[in-house]
Amino acid sequence: MSSGQRCPVCGEPWVSPRLLPCLHSLCSPCLRRLGTLAEPGRAAARSVLCPVCDAEVSLPPGGVGQLTPDYLALSGGRAAASCDLCADGAAVRRCLTCGADLCHFCCQAHRRQKKTASHTVTELENSKDCSQAGKPLLCPSHPTEELRLFCQQCDQPVCQHCVVGRHRQHPCDFTGNVVHRHGDALRELLKSTQRHMGALESALSQIDAVGSAVHSRAEAVAAEICLFASGYVKAIEEHRDRLLKQLEDLKVQKVNLLHLQKAQLQQLLLDMRTSVGFTEHLLASGSDLEILITKGVVASRLAKLNSVAYNTHPSMDDGIQFSPREKAGQCCGYEVFGAILNKAVDPARCTLHGEDLHYAHQNQLTGFTLLCNDTMGERMGRGGEAVRVTITHKDKRDCTVKPTVCDNGDGTYHVSYSPEEPGVYAVCVCVKGQHVQGSPFTVTVKGKFREHQGVFHCCTFCSSGGQKSARCACGGTMPGGYQGCGHGHKGHPGCPHWSCCGQVKKSSECSGGPPGDALQKSLVRTVAL
């Protein structure tokens, strides 16, 4: 974005100003003096650092000469144009035929002379296809022709010679007919960018509020620490200083992270303000042709800013606490208490969970879950802890099982393993080198899992279709010569169970011995029915 009539680098009046993709304008000589950034693996550098905002911007393949001209920079803060004929009076009108700016007196003389009486003269402020500096914008390919048309296929202004030349087959229209559509597109992008600016300003306000809360909370914790340490003499005073140093480091860490997020959001907001200011100035003060010339780089910049991802919530909170009952070790030979809490895991409060925590089967995958809690007994809610699990056979020290620890990212860890030999194993679960609650514990690994050979039924009478000879391992019988169990009769366990062993848990291992021939036949018949 240009400001005033001077280049921001050299401080001299504009000399062929060009617009960078970050919407900052520089003189062409200043742009050519900028050092390009070398990129590994590329023959030529294609990017420079903008000296205004320090942003790395890419140059077009043709270099500085192909950057968009900033005609708007030449019009900012200009003085009133002078008459091109007498050089004494202020220009009030323009001759569209010869391109001269005329004062009131010379305009009358211009109309009286025979050679210029037929020329078209208009008010200077009504010259649409001219820059605000008062001169017509000429075609780069045909320097004597003004840019009055717009090639919609090439998306650039052209002159009448271009239309009959290399733009012959392209759809073209007058600039005044197409500027509204492109201007509306820029306005929509402008509105979207302005909404992002509001969100960024709100996020920065929240960061300032949290930063103040961090400072306030740190001061409150420091007061608690000083009150707790006042009862001790030299040892407690030294412990107090150590705690205050730890608190200061924690506060600095949180504040630095907040400052980093704040700086990133401020830079993004500054870039958006700069781009919005330039776009508003372009739409409010630029001519139709200036808008059409500049709209490409402006739209690209606004779209890029609108696509930047940012977090509107502070990256840190004021979660700083002091626990006066926490053991802090020895200080000058005295056992001291008191520690800074910042949601740290406490191995002694971590627990183990699982249905088959103490039992497993040979060559069968099993496992359990570790739930990590902090020093207050609350769930950590995040992963990343150093969890170590060892599984060793008690009778065979060289027989170990390699477990797999899966971090669920929510404070829980799933431990799975598959023992290859039966026996009793010792399982140790440590977090940060310390045993968790219930560790170590033993796991009894049984042989191959025995599948059920019967049927999981409510009673023998129902599953066999009323067969009197069908029996059940639960030992229940029914009157009338029925050898199997029935609802509400003697021996029935009162719930569904396995006919082969009487187990009431459907997913259990079969505990029944090899059945006799008669029992085997009756059970098989029950299963078949």
Side-chain angles (χ1 to χ4, degrees), residues 78-290:
R78 67 177 182 90
S82 59
C83 179
D84 290 338
L85 298 183
C86 66
D88 293 331
V92 294
R93 295 191 178 185
R94 162 182 290 277
C95 178
L96 300 180
T97 305
C98 58
D101 293 338
L102 307 173
C103 65
H104 183 70
F105 177 79
C106 293
C107 180
Q108 294 178 345
H110 206 67
R111 290 176 175 175
R112 286 195 300 266
Q113 295 178 4
K114 292 183 178 180
K115 292 182 179 181
T116 58
S118 61
H119 288 190
T120 302
V121 179
T122 183
E123 297 292 335
L124 187 61
E125 58 185 15
N126 293 334
S127 299
K128 295 299 293 179
D129 291 330
C130 302
S131 71
Q132 292 189 10
K135 299 298 181 182
L137 301 183
L138 303 178
C139 177
S141 303
H142 308 92
T144 60
E145 295 295 326
E146 295 186 30
L147 296 172
R148 296 182 180 273
L149 301 169
F150 186 78
C151 177
Q152 301 184 32
Q153 179 172 330
C154 300
D155 197 32
Q156 68 179 36
V158 293
C159 68
Q160 58 183 0
H161 287 346
C162 293
V163 172
V164 298
R166 58 191 181 95
H167 296 271
R168 179 188 301 273
Q169 303 298 329
H170 297 178
C172 298
D173 200 351
F174 288 100
T175 57
N177 297 335
V178 299
V179 69
H180 303 291
R181 182 174 71 255
H182 296 283
D184 292 340
L186 285 181
R187 291 184 182 90
E188 290 300 322
L189 284 172
L190 177 63
K191 291 178 181 178
S192 178
T193 306
Q194 289 171 335
R195 287 194 294 269
H196 285 294
M197 290 176 58
L200 288 172
E201 290 171 347
S202 177
L204 290 172
S205 299
Q206 294 182 33
I207 291 176
D208 290 336
V210 174
S212 300
V214 168
H215 285 283
S216 301
R217 186 60 183 161
E219 293 175 358
V221 174
E224 292 181 26
I225 295 174
C226 293
L227 180 61
F228 171 72
S230 62
Y232 292 87
V233 193
K234 182 178 179 180
I236 302 304
E237 292 177 348
E238 183 176 333
H239 180 53
R240 176 194 62 189
D241 296 337
R242 185 173 59 188
L243 289 174
L244 290 174
K245 177 63 170 60
Q246 180 184 353
L247 176 64
E248 181 64 21
D249 293 342
L250 181 59
K251 182 189 73 173
V252 170
Q253 177 187 4
K254 287 179 174 286
V255 172
N256 286 344
L257 290 175
L258 289 171
H259 283 172
L260 176 61
Q261 183 187 14
K262 180 178 180 180
Q264 294 172 343
L265 294 181
Q266 283 179 332
Q267 182 61 49
L268 181 57
L269 179 60
L270 179 60
D271 293 342
M272 288 187 173
R273 281 177 175 164
T274 301
S275 301
V276 167
F278 179 87
T279 308
E280 290 176 339
H281 182 54
L282 173 65
L283 294 173
S285 304
S287 67
D288 297 347
L289 195 57
E290 289 168 349

Side-chain angles (χ1 to χ4, degrees), residues 10-25:
C10 62
E12 298 297 329
W14 292 112
V15 178
S16 183
R18 298 284 175 170
L19 192 61
L20 291 172
C22 61
L23 303 188
H24 288 118
S25 300

Side-chain angles (χ1 to χ4, degrees), residues 506-522:
K506 188 173 184 179
S507 60
S508 62
E509 181 183 13
C510 186
S511 60
D517 292 340
L519 179 60
Q520 179 69 25
K521 291 179 180 179
S522 64

Side-chain angles (χ1 to χ4, degrees), residues 457 459-468 470 482 525-529:
H457 62 181
C459 69
T460 308
F461 182 83
C462 294
S463 62
S464 67
Q467 295 282 337
K468 287 188 176 183
Y482 289 94
R525 182 164 62 250
T526 303
V527 173
L529 289 172

Side-chain angles (χ1 to χ4, degrees), residues 403-425:
T404 301
V405 180
C406 178
D407 186 351
N408 296 325
D410 58 356
T412 62
Y413 301 81
H414 183 71
V415 182
S416 58
Y417 62 97
S418 178
E420 296 180 355
E421 294 189 18
V424 179
Y425 289 78

